[in-house]
Amino acid sequence: DAKTTQPTSMDCAEGRAANLPCNHSTISGNEYVYWYRQIHSQGPQYIIHGLKNNETNEMASLIITEDRKSSTLILPHATLRDTAVYYCIVRASSTSYGKLTFGQGTILTVHP
Amino acid sequence: EAGVVQSPRYKIIEKKQPVAFWCNPISGHNTLYWYLQNLGQGPELLIRYENEEAVDDSQLPKDRFSAERLKGVDSTLKIQPAELGDSAVYLCASSQEGRYNEQFFGPGTRLTVL
């Protein structure tokens, strides 16, 4: 699976959009981009994933550049409960096989 | 639906003692994972089960770690004997085939080895 690079930490004001970048310059054509987050003392939680097109669900939006070498996770109206570590992961298949390779992620702190 | 259940949530033992962690995955999820998470790091896969078969245990330190998933449902991860460096959070996750590998994680067991 391709390696990802994320900033170590970011801050965001409550109610504002949080934009979390991820670089994955060695991504292959069959690799998906996944985002998970981990709130303190909890297990990771799936947020969203995509291959080429931008994706949106009830939690967030995922913007993938045309060359697929980077992506941005957008939390449109961040709340204090969005404070967590956010992991960007690329992996080869959207089937149930294979592992998730987590990096160190981005610590997002949402402040009042 | 009920989430992934793990017990105990916390465990403190002395080094060289055995310890076991239990996981009950979400009903109907055929794939079960055990991850290890050290402080400040992301989770790392230890072992993956497809039903009762361990299909990826390449990262499991087999000299002291063992796991089983009887009847393809609950799973137990054991360490014997525990070492100081085993202090970490042990996470269990499960997923359902056809659900784009969305893995559902339990809250983890925090192990402290003294």
mmCIF file of all heavy atoms in Angstrom, chain B residues 30-77:
data_model
loop_
_atom_site.group_PDB
_atom_site.id
_atom_site.type_symbol
_atom_site.label_atom_id
_atom_site.label_comp_id
_atom_site.label_asym_id
_atom_site.label_seq_id
_atom_site.Cartn_x
_atom_site.Cartn_y
_atom_site.Cartn_z
ATOM 1 N N ASN B 30 -17.816 -11.492 9.113
ATOM 2 C CA ASN B 30 -17.008 -12.684 9.003
ATOM 3 C C ASN B 30 -15.509 -12.409 9.182
ATOM 4 O O ASN B 30 -14.734 -13.315 9.443
ATOM 5 C CB ASN B 30 -17.240 -13.371 7.644
ATOM 6 C CG ASN B 30 -16.893 -12.460 6.480
ATOM 7 O OD1 ASN B 30 -17.270 -11.302 6.444
ATOM 8 N ND2 ASN B 30 -16.157 -12.989 5.526
ATOM 9 N N THR B 31 -15.107 -11.161 9.054
ATOM 10 C CA THR B 31 -13.688 -10.830 9.179
ATOM 11 C C THR B 31 -13.432 -10.158 10.521
ATOM 12 O O THR B 31 -14.147 -9.234 10.907
ATOM 13 C CB THR B 31 -13.230 -9.906 8.038
ATOM 14 O OG1 THR B 31 -13.593 -10.486 6.794
ATOM 15 C CG2 THR B 31 -11.717 -9.721 8.076
ATOM 16 N N LEU B 32 -12.411 -10.644 11.203
ATOM 17 C CA LEU B 32 -12.065 -10.101 12.512
ATOM 18 C C LEU B 32 -10.572 -9.784 12.529
ATOM 19 O O LEU B 32 -9.750 -10.540 11.984
ATOM 20 C CB LEU B 32 -12.401 -11.104 13.620
ATOM 21 C CG LEU B 32 -12.168 -10.668 15.072
ATOM 22 C CD1 LEU B 32 -13.226 -11.265 15.987
ATOM 23 C CD2 LEU B 32 -10.787 -11.015 15.560
ATOM 24 N N TYR B 33 -10.229 -8.654 13.134
ATOM 25 C CA TYR B 33 -8.848 -8.174 13.171
ATOM 26 C C TYR B 33 -8.438 -7.882 14.616
ATOM 27 O O TYR B 33 -9.247 -7.385 15.400
ATOM 28 C CB TYR B 33 -8.705 -6.857 12.398
ATOM 29 C CG TYR B 33 -9.340 -6.801 11.032
ATOM 30 C CD1 TYR B 33 -10.711 -6.642 10.891
ATOM 31 C CD2 TYR B 33 -8.567 -6.843 9.877
ATOM 32 C CE1 TYR B 33 -11.311 -6.560 9.645
ATOM 33 C CE2 TYR B 33 -9.160 -6.753 8.611
ATOM 34 C CZ TYR B 33 -10.521 -6.615 8.523
ATOM 35 O OH TYR B 33 -11.106 -6.518 7.265
ATOM 36 N N TRP B 34 -7.193 -8.153 14.922
ATOM 37 C CA TRP B 34 -6.580 -7.673 16.156
ATOM 38 C C TRP B 34 -5.458 -6.707 15.773
ATOM 39 O O TRP B 34 -4.600 -7.024 14.948
ATOM 40 C CB TRP B 34 -5.982 -8.814 16.975
ATOM 41 C CG TRP B 34 -6.978 -9.626 17.735
ATOM 42 C CD1 TRP B 34 -7.473 -10.851 17.418
ATOM 43 C CD2 TRP B 34 -7.577 -9.271 18.983
ATOM 44 N NE1 TRP B 34 -8.348 -11.278 18.377
ATOM 45 C CE2 TRP B 34 -8.435 -10.334 19.360
ATOM 46 C CE3 TRP B 34 -7.487 -8.161 19.846
ATOM 47 C CZ2 TRP B 34 -9.186 -10.322 20.538
ATOM 48 C CZ3 TRP B 34 -8.230 -8.150 21.002
ATOM 49 C CH2 TRP B 34 -9.072 -9.227 21.348
ATOM 50 N N TYR B 35 -5.501 -5.534 16.395
ATOM 51 C CA TYR B 35 -4.480 -4.513 16.181
ATOM 52 C C TYR B 35 -3.814 -4.194 17.520
ATOM 53 O O TYR B 35 -4.435 -4.284 18.573
ATOM 54 C CB TYR B 35 -5.091 -3.219 15.657
ATOM 55 C CG TYR B 35 -5.563 -3.222 14.224
ATOM 56 C CD1 TYR B 35 -6.821 -3.698 13.884
ATOM 57 C CD2 TYR B 35 -4.759 -2.704 13.199
ATOM 58 C CE1 TYR B 35 -7.266 -3.668 12.564
ATOM 59 C CE2 TYR B 35 -5.195 -2.670 11.885
ATOM 60 C CZ TYR B 35 -6.454 -3.148 11.580
ATOM 61 O OH TYR B 35 -6.883 -3.115 10.267
ATOM 62 N N LEU B 36 -2.587 -3.746 17.446
ATOM 63 C CA LEU B 36 -1.851 -3.245 18.601
ATOM 64 C C LEU B 36 -1.593 -1.760 18.366
ATOM 65 O O LEU B 36 -1.226 -1.361 17.258
ATOM 66 C CB LEU B 36 -0.537 -4.007 18.747
ATOM 67 C CG LEU B 36 0.441 -3.589 19.837
ATOM 68 C CD1 LEU B 36 1.296 -4.773 20.251
ATOM 69 C CD2 LEU B 36 1.357 -2.460 19.386
ATOM 70 N N GLN B 37 -1.819 -0.956 19.397
ATOM 71 C CA GLN B 37 -1.564 0.474 19.262
ATOM 72 C C GLN B 37 -0.682 0.953 20.400
ATOM 73 O O GLN B 37 -1.100 0.958 21.567
ATOM 74 C CB GLN B 37 -2.867 1.267 19.238
ATOM 75 C CG GLN B 37 -2.645 2.759 18.973
ATOM 76 C CD GLN B 37 -3.926 3.513 18.710
ATOM 77 O OE1 GLN B 37 -5.001 3.114 19.145
ATOM 78 N NE2 GLN B 37 -3.829 4.618 17.971
ATOM 79 N N ASN B 38 0.529 1.355 20.061
ATOM 80 C CA ASN B 38 1.428 1.961 21.033
ATOM 81 C C ASN B 38 1.102 3.442 21.177
ATOM 82 O O ASN B 38 0.528 4.071 20.271
ATOM 83 C CB ASN B 38 2.879 1.786 20.599
ATOM 84 C CG ASN B 38 3.351 0.348 20.745
ATOM 85 O OD1 ASN B 38 3.246 -0.235 21.815
ATOM 86 N ND2 ASN B 38 3.857 -0.226 19.665
ATOM 87 N N LEU B 39 1.495 3.997 22.288
ATOM 88 C CA LEU B 39 1.181 5.386 22.599
ATOM 89 C C LEU B 39 1.705 6.324 21.529
ATOM 90 O O LEU B 39 2.884 6.252 21.141
ATOM 91 C CB LEU B 39 1.791 5.747 23.958
ATOM 92 C CG LEU B 39 1.415 7.108 24.521
ATOM 93 C CD1 LEU B 39 -0.070 7.153 24.824
ATOM 94 C CD2 LEU B 39 2.219 7.410 25.787
ATOM 95 N N GLY B 40 0.833 7.152 20.983
ATOM 96 C CA GLY B 40 1.237 8.133 19.989
ATOM 97 C C GLY B 40 1.389 7.597 18.579
ATOM 98 O O GLY B 40 1.804 8.332 17.679
ATOM 99 N N GLN B 41 1.063 6.333 18.404
ATOM 100 C CA GLN B 41 1.193 5.708 17.089
ATOM 101 C C GLN B 41 -0.169 5.240 16.588
ATOM 102 O O GLN B 41 -1.121 5.102 17.356
ATOM 103 C CB GLN B 41 2.128 4.493 17.167
ATOM 104 C CG GLN B 41 3.503 4.800 17.732
ATOM 105 C CD GLN B 41 4.308 5.710 16.842
ATOM 106 O OE1 GLN B 41 4.334 5.549 15.619
ATOM 107 N NE2 GLN B 41 4.970 6.683 17.436
ATOM 108 N N GLY B 42 -0.241 4.974 15.288
ATOM 109 C CA GLY B 42 -1.458 4.396 14.744
ATOM 110 C C GLY B 42 -1.510 2.900 15.023
ATOM 111 O O GLY B 42 -0.492 2.279 15.336
ATOM 112 N N PRO B 43 -2.675 2.301 14.933
ATOM 113 C CA PRO B 43 -2.787 0.854 15.151
ATOM 114 C C PRO B 43 -2.003 0.059 14.110
ATOM 115 O O PRO B 43 -1.884 0.476 12.957
ATOM 116 C CB PRO B 43 -4.298 0.597 15.006
ATOM 117 C CG PRO B 43 -4.943 1.918 15.250
ATOM 118 C CD PRO B 43 -3.985 2.928 14.709
ATOM 119 N N GLU B 44 -1.492 -1.095 14.535
ATOM 120 C CA GLU B 44 -0.765 -2.004 13.648
ATOM 121 C C GLU B 44 -1.439 -3.365 13.699
ATOM 122 O O GLU B 44 -1.720 -3.885 14.780
ATOM 123 C CB GLU B 44 0.691 -2.155 14.110
ATOM 124 C CG GLU B 44 1.472 -0.861 14.179
ATOM 125 C CD GLU B 44 2.809 -1.081 14.875
ATOM 126 O OE1 GLU B 44 3.465 -2.093 14.598
ATOM 127 O OE2 GLU B 44 3.195 -0.234 15.697
ATOM 128 N N LEU B 45 -1.674 -3.945 12.531
ATOM 129 C CA LEU B 45 -2.360 -5.234 12.484
ATOM 130 C C LEU B 45 -1.495 -6.348 13.059
ATOM 131 O O LEU B 45 -0.315 -6.482 12.716
ATOM 132 C CB LEU B 45 -2.723 -5.577 11.045
ATOM 133 C CG LEU B 45 -3.485 -6.884 10.859
ATOM 134 C CD1 LEU B 45 -4.919 -6.741 11.396
ATOM 135 C CD2 LEU B 45 -3.502 -7.319 9.404
ATOM 136 N N LEU B 46 -2.087 -7.152 13.917
ATOM 137 C CA LEU B 46 -1.437 -8.352 14.437
ATOM 138 C C LEU B 46 -1.896 -9.594 13.686
ATOM 139 O O LEU B 46 -1.088 -10.433 13.285
ATOM 140 C CB LEU B 46 -1.752 -8.533 15.925
ATOM 141 C CG LEU B 46 -1.100 -7.545 16.882
ATOM 142 C CD1 LEU B 46 -1.656 -7.754 18.299
ATOM 143 C CD2 LEU B 46 0.410 -7.710 16.880
ATOM 144 N N ILE B 47 -3.212 -9.719 13.508
ATOM 145 C CA ILE B 47 -3.749 -10.914 12.886
ATOM 146 C C ILE B 47 -5.124 -10.609 12.310
ATOM 147 O O ILE B 47 -5.838 -9.752 12.824
ATOM 148 C CB ILE B 47 -3.831 -12.084 13.898
ATOM 149 C CG1 ILE B 47 -4.176 -13.411 13.215
ATOM 150 C CG2 ILE B 47 -4.796 -11.772 15.026
ATOM 151 C CD1 ILE B 47 -3.988 -14.623 14.124
ATOM 152 N N ARG B 48 -5.446 -11.284 11.217
ATOM 153 C CA ARG B 48 -6.759 -11.145 10.578
ATOM 154 C C ARG B 48 -7.364 -12.524 10.366
ATOM 155 O O ARG B 48 -6.682 -13.434 9.890
ATOM 156 C CB ARG B 48 -6.639 -10.415 9.245
ATOM 157 C CG ARG B 48 -7.927 -10.366 8.446
ATOM 158 C CD ARG B 48 -7.799 -9.428 7.243
ATOM 159 N NE ARG B 48 -6.805 -9.854 6.289
ATOM 160 C CZ ARG B 48 -7.053 -10.625 5.231
ATOM 161 N NH1 ARG B 48 -8.276 -11.073 5.027
ATOM 162 N NH2 ARG B 48 -6.093 -10.939 4.385
ATOM 163 N N TYR B 49 -8.624 -12.656 10.720
ATOM 164 C CA TYR B 49 -9.370 -13.898 10.532
ATOM 165 C C TYR B 49 -10.443 -13.713 9.471
ATOM 166 O O TYR B 49 -11.135 -12.697 9.437
ATOM 167 C CB TYR B 49 -10.075 -14.314 11.830
ATOM 168 C CG TYR B 49 -9.186 -14.942 12.855
ATOM 169 C CD1 TYR B 49 -8.574 -14.178 13.847
ATOM 170 C CD2 TYR B 49 -8.967 -16.320 12.861
ATOM 171 C CE1 TYR B 49 -7.766 -14.765 14.793
ATOM 172 C CE2 TYR B 49 -8.160 -16.915 13.817
ATOM 173 C CZ TYR B 49 -7.563 -16.127 14.781
ATOM 174 O OH TYR B 49 -6.758 -16.706 15.719
ATOM 175 N N GLU B 50 -10.579 -14.700 8.621
ATOM 176 C CA GLU B 50 -11.742 -14.830 7.763
ATOM 177 C C GLU B 50 -12.508 -16.037 8.312
ATOM 178 O O GLU B 50 -12.059 -17.182 8.196
ATOM 179 C CB GLU B 50 -11.355 -15.064 6.304
ATOM 180 C CG GLU B 50 -10.650 -13.903 5.650
ATOM 181 C CD GLU B 50 -11.573 -12.711 5.424
ATOM 182 O OE1 GLU B 50 -12.809 -12.892 5.388
ATOM 183 O OE2 GLU B 50 -11.052 -11.575 5.291
ATOM 184 N N ASN B 51 -13.644 -15.774 8.924
ATOM 185 C CA ASN B 51 -14.366 -16.804 9.679
ATOM 186 C C ASN B 51 -13.406 -17.356 10.737
ATOM 187 O O ASN B 51 -12.860 -16.574 11.503
ATOM 188 C CB ASN B 51 -14.917 -17.861 8.742
ATOM 189 C CG ASN B 51 -15.898 -17.249 7.751
ATOM 190 O OD1 ASN B 51 -16.883 -16.621 8.159
ATOM 191 N ND2 ASN B 51 -15.629 -17.403 6.463
ATOM 192 N N GLU B 52 -13.178 -18.664 10.784
ATOM 193 C CA GLU B 52 -12.302 -19.169 11.839
ATOM 194 C C GLU B 52 -10.852 -19.333 11.397
ATOM 195 O O GLU B 52 -10.006 -19.743 12.185
ATOM 196 C CB GLU B 52 -12.829 -20.502 12.382
ATOM 197 C CG GLU B 52 -12.865 -21.626 11.362
ATOM 198 C CD GLU B 52 -14.172 -21.661 10.585
ATOM 199 O OE1 GLU B 52 -14.940 -20.676 10.636
ATOM 200 O OE2 GLU B 52 -14.404 -22.681 9.931
ATOM 201 N N GLU B 53 -10.551 -18.960 10.159
ATOM 202 C CA GLU B 53 -9.205 -19.156 9.629
ATOM 203 C C GLU B 53 -8.377 -17.882 9.742
ATOM 204 O O GLU B 53 -8.787 -16.806 9.298
ATOM 205 C CB GLU B 53 -9.278 -19.586 8.163
ATOM 206 C CG GLU B 53 -7.919 -19.847 7.543
ATOM 207 C CD GLU B 53 -8.005 -20.217 6.070
ATOM 208 O OE1 GLU B 53 -9.135 -20.281 5.542
ATOM 209 O OE2 GLU B 53 -6.947 -20.420 5.448
ATOM 210 N N ALA B 54 -7.177 -18.039 10.311
ATOM 211 C CA ALA B 54 -6.241 -16.922 10.369
ATOM 212 C C ALA B 54 -5.567 -16.789 9.010
ATOM 213 O O ALA B 54 -4.759 -17.631 8.619
ATOM 214 C CB ALA B 54 -5.208 -17.156 11.459
ATOM 215 N N VAL B 55 -5.893 -15.737 8.267
ATOM 216 C CA VAL B 55 -5.380 -15.598 6.900
ATOM 217 C C VAL B 55 -4.200 -14.643 6.806
ATOM 218 O O VAL B 55 -3.543 -14.574 5.773
ATOM 219 C CB VAL B 55 -6.502 -15.161 5.941
ATOM 220 C CG1 VAL B 55 -7.567 -16.239 5.838
ATOM 221 C CG2 VAL B 55 -7.123 -13.851 6.381
ATOM 222 N N ASP B 56 -3.948 -13.876 7.855
ATOM 223 C CA ASP B 56 -2.789 -12.993 7.875
ATOM 224 C C ASP B 56 -2.326 -12.861 9.315
ATOM 225 O O ASP B 56 -2.910 -12.115 10.092
ATOM 226 C CB ASP B 56 -3.127 -11.619 7.286
ATOM 227 C CG ASP B 56 -1.906 -10.692 7.232
ATOM 228 O OD1 ASP B 56 -0.805 -11.100 7.683
ATOM 229 O OD2 ASP B 56 -2.050 -9.553 6.748
ATOM 230 N N ASP B 57 -1.300 -13.606 9.669
ATOM 231 C CA ASP B 57 -0.738 -13.504 11.026
ATOM 232 C C ASP B 57 0.740 -13.190 10.964
ATOM 233 O O ASP B 57 1.493 -13.507 11.887
ATOM 234 C CB ASP B 57 -0.989 -14.784 11.819
ATOM 235 C CG ASP B 57 -0.302 -15.996 11.199
ATOM 236 O OD1 ASP B 57 0.292 -15.869 10.112
ATOM 237 O OD2 ASP B 57 -0.382 -17.078 11.810
ATOM 238 N N SER B 58 1.162 -12.575 9.880
ATOM 239 C CA SER B 58 2.582 -12.327 9.658
ATOM 240 C C SER B 58 3.192 -11.371 10.679
ATOM 241 O O SER B 58 4.387 -11.382 10.915
ATOM 242 C CB SER B 58 2.811 -11.780 8.244
ATOM 243 O OG SER B 58 2.056 -10.600 8.039
ATOM 244 N N GLN B 59 2.362 -10.517 11.290
ATOM 245 C CA GLN B 59 2.873 -9.549 12.256
ATOM 246 C C GLN B 59 2.675 -10.002 13.701
ATOM 247 O O GLN B 59 2.986 -9.252 14.622
ATOM 248 C CB GLN B 59 2.187 -8.195 12.046
ATOM 249 C CG GLN B 59 2.378 -7.626 10.653
ATOM 250 C CD GLN B 59 3.832 -7.460 10.301
ATOM 251 O OE1 GLN B 59 4.617 -6.916 11.066
ATOM 252 N NE2 GLN B 59 4.215 -7.956 9.121
ATOM 253 N N LEU B 60 2.194 -11.194 13.893
ATOM 254 C CA LEU B 60 1.959 -11.703 15.247
ATOM 255 C C LEU B 60 3.238 -12.347 15.781
ATOM 256 O O LEU B 60 3.743 -13.300 15.184
ATOM 257 C CB LEU B 60 0.823 -12.723 15.236
ATOM 258 C CG LEU B 60 0.315 -13.187 16.589
ATOM 259 C CD1 LEU B 60 -0.484 -12.078 17.264
ATOM 260 C CD2 LEU B 60 -0.534 -14.449 16.437
ATOM 261 N N PRO B 61 3.781 -11.851 16.896
ATOM 262 C CA PRO B 61 4.988 -12.464 17.478
ATOM 263 C C PRO B 61 4.638 -13.823 18.069
ATOM 264 O O PRO B 61 4.144 -13.927 19.191
ATOM 265 C CB PRO B 61 5.401 -11.463 18.569
ATOM 266 C CG PRO B 61 4.613 -10.229 18.312
ATOM 267 C CD PRO B 61 3.349 -10.662 17.639
ATOM 268 N N LYS B 62 4.884 -14.837 17.317
ATOM 269 C CA LYS B 62 4.342 -16.152 17.653
ATOM 270 C C LYS B 62 5.043 -16.830 18.822
ATOM 271 O O LYS B 62 4.552 -17.841 19.336
ATOM 272 C CB LYS B 62 4.366 -17.042 16.423
ATOM 273 C CG LYS B 62 3.507 -16.490 15.278
ATOM 274 C CD LYS B 62 3.514 -17.418 14.085
ATOM 275 C CE LYS B 62 2.710 -16.811 12.940
ATOM 276 N NZ LYS B 62 3.280 -15.535 12.455
ATOM 277 N N ASP B 63 6.171 -16.263 19.266
ATOM 278 C CA ASP B 63 6.836 -16.893 20.410
ATOM 279 C C ASP B 63 6.053 -16.669 21.695
ATOM 280 O O ASP B 63 6.093 -17.499 22.611
ATOM 281 C CB ASP B 63 8.257 -16.345 20.553
ATOM 282 C CG ASP B 63 8.297 -14.831 20.690
ATOM 283 O OD1 ASP B 63 7.349 -14.163 20.216
ATOM 284 O OD2 ASP B 63 9.279 -14.308 21.253
ATOM 285 N N ARG B 64 5.300 -15.575 21.758
ATOM 286 C CA ARG B 64 4.575 -15.294 22.996
ATOM 287 C C ARG B 64 3.103 -14.959 22.776
ATOM 288 O O ARG B 64 2.325 -14.966 23.728
ATOM 289 C CB ARG B 64 5.240 -14.125 23.731
ATOM 290 C CG ARG B 64 6.665 -14.384 24.169
ATOM 291 C CD ARG B 64 7.239 -13.213 24.967
ATOM 292 N NE ARG B 64 7.263 -11.988 24.178
ATOM 293 C CZ ARG B 64 6.441 -10.979 24.367
ATOM 294 N NH1 ARG B 64 5.527 -11.026 25.316
ATOM 295 N NH2 ARG B 64 6.549 -9.896 23.618
ATOM 296 N N PHE B 65 2.731 -14.639 21.568
ATOM 297 C CA PHE B 65 1.348 -14.275 21.267
ATOM 298 C C PHE B 65 0.642 -15.437 20.582
ATOM 299 O O PHE B 65 1.223 -16.126 19.737
ATOM 300 C CB PHE B 65 1.305 -13.061 20.338
ATOM 301 C CG PHE B 65 1.642 -11.755 20.979
ATOM 302 C CD1 PHE B 65 2.922 -11.512 21.468
ATOM 303 C CD2 PHE B 65 0.690 -10.757 21.098
ATOM 304 C CE1 PHE B 65 3.245 -10.292 22.058
ATOM 305 C CE2 PHE B 65 1.004 -9.530 21.676
ATOM 306 C CZ PHE B 65 2.281 -9.302 22.153
ATOM 307 N N SER B 66 -0.618 -15.613 20.940
ATOM 308 C CA SER B 66 -1.446 -16.583 20.239
ATOM 309 C C SER B 66 -2.858 -16.039 20.153
ATOM 310 O O SER B 66 -3.254 -15.175 20.954
ATOM 311 C CB SER B 66 -1.434 -17.938 20.949
ATOM 312 O OG SER B 66 -2.019 -17.823 22.230
ATOM 313 N N ALA B 67 -3.599 -16.520 19.184
ATOM 314 C CA ALA B 67 -4.982 -16.075 19.028
ATOM 315 C C ALA B 67 -5.811 -17.236 18.524
ATOM 316 O O ALA B 67 -5.299 -18.176 17.908
ATOM 317 C CB ALA B 67 -5.059 -14.900 18.058
ATOM 318 N N GLU B 68 -7.090 -17.152 18.812
ATOM 319 C CA GLU B 68 -8.007 -18.142 18.284
ATOM 320 C C GLU B 68 -9.362 -17.501 18.047
ATOM 321 O O GLU B 68 -9.714 -16.495 18.674
ATOM 322 C CB GLU B 68 -8.131 -19.334 19.224
ATOM 323 C CG GLU B 68 -8.660 -19.011 20.600
ATOM 324 C CD GLU B 68 -8.709 -20.245 21.505
ATOM 325 O OE1 GLU B 68 -8.178 -21.295 21.115
ATOM 326 O OE2 GLU B 68 -9.289 -20.135 22.589
ATOM 327 N N ARG B 69 -10.088 -18.090 17.130
ATOM 328 C CA ARG B 69 -11.441 -17.619 16.833
ATOM 329 C C ARG B 69 -12.299 -18.863 16.612
ATOM 330 O O ARG B 69 -12.509 -19.313 15.496
ATOM 331 C CB ARG B 69 -11.484 -16.720 15.606
ATOM 332 C CG ARG B 69 -12.842 -16.048 15.437
ATOM 333 C CD ARG B 69 -12.929 -15.197 14.199
ATOM 334 N NE ARG B 69 -14.205 -14.491 14.156
ATOM 335 C CZ ARG B 69 -14.722 -13.930 13.062
ATOM 336 N NH1 ARG B 69 -14.061 -13.989 11.912
ATOM 337 N NH2 ARG B 69 -15.887 -13.322 13.112
ATOM 338 N N LEU B 70 -12.781 -19.389 17.719
ATOM 339 C CA LEU B 70 -13.561 -20.610 17.673
ATOM 340 C C LEU B 70 -14.925 -20.333 17.072
ATOM 341 O O LEU B 70 -15.554 -19.309 17.377
ATOM 342 C CB LEU B 70 -13.691 -21.184 19.080
ATOM 343 C CG LEU B 70 -12.359 -21.564 19.745
ATOM 344 C CD1 LEU B 70 -12.592 -22.029 21.166
ATOM 345 C CD2 LEU B 70 -11.627 -22.603 18.926
ATOM 346 N N LYS B 71 -15.376 -21.213 16.207
ATOM 347 C CA LYS B 71 -16.689 -21.133 15.575
ATOM 348 C C LYS B 71 -16.855 -19.868 14.741
ATOM 349 O O LYS B 71 -17.985 -19.488 14.408
ATOM 350 C CB LYS B 71 -17.802 -21.220 16.621
ATOM 351 C CG LYS B 71 -17.772 -22.518 17.423
ATOM 352 C CD LYS B 71 -18.911 -22.576 18.433
ATOM 353 C CE LYS B 71 -18.842 -23.858 19.246
ATOM 354 N NZ LYS B 71 -19.914 -23.928 20.280
ATOM 355 N N GLY B 72 -15.771 -19.180 14.466
ATOM 356 C CA GLY B 72 -15.843 -18.026 13.582
ATOM 357 C C GLY B 72 -16.583 -16.840 14.144
ATOM 358 O O GLY B 72 -17.041 -15.988 13.375
ATOM 359 N N VAL B 73 -16.692 -16.754 15.478
ATOM 360 C CA VAL B 73 -17.401 -15.611 16.070
ATOM 361 C C VAL B 73 -16.451 -14.880 17.016
ATOM 362 O O VAL B 73 -15.651 -14.058 16.575
ATOM 363 C CB VAL B 73 -18.692 -16.052 16.773
ATOM 364 C CG1 VAL B 73 -19.444 -14.842 17.329
ATOM 365 C CG2 VAL B 73 -19.585 -16.825 15.809
ATOM 366 N N ASP B 74 -16.516 -15.222 18.310
ATOM 367 C CA ASP B 74 -15.667 -14.564 19.294
ATOM 368 C C ASP B 74 -14.205 -14.921 19.061
ATOM 369 O O ASP B 74 -13.872 -15.956 18.478
ATOM 370 C CB ASP B 74 -16.047 -15.001 20.705
ATOM 371 C CG ASP B 74 -17.426 -14.525 21.094
ATOM 372 O OD1 ASP B 74 -18.081 -13.868 20.263
ATOM 373 O OD2 ASP B 74 -17.857 -14.811 22.226
ATOM 374 N N SER B 75 -13.345 -14.056 19.565
ATOM 375 C CA SER B 75 -11.908 -14.311 19.436
ATOM 376 C C SER B 75 -11.205 -13.960 20.742
ATOM 377 O O SER B 75 -11.652 -13.080 21.499
ATOM 378 C CB SER B 75 -11.314 -13.475 18.311
ATOM 379 O OG SER B 75 -9.916 -13.678 18.198
ATOM 380 N N THR B 76 -10.110 -14.662 20.977
ATOM 381 C CA THR B 76 -9.272 -14.403 22.145
ATOM 382 C C THR B 76 -7.835 -14.205 21.691
ATOM 383 O O THR B 76 -7.332 -14.966 20.864
ATOM 384 C CB THR B 76 -9.331 -15.576 23.141
ATOM 385 O OG1 THR B 76 -10.684 -15.785 23.536
ATOM 386 C CG2 THR B 76 -8.506 -15.266 24.375
ATOM 387 N N LEU B 77 -7.189 -13.197 22.221
ATOM 388 C CA LEU B 77 -5.769 -12.938 21.988
ATOM 389 C C LEU B 77 -5.042 -13.136 23.312
ATOM 390 O O LEU B 77 -5.468 -12.600 24.330
ATOM 391 C CB LEU B 77 -5.557 -11.506 21.493
ATOM 392 C CG LEU B 77 -4.104 -11.065 21.235
ATOM 393 C CD1 LEU B 77 -3.516 -11.807 20.041
ATOM 394 C CD2 LEU B 77 -4.049 -9.548 20.997
#
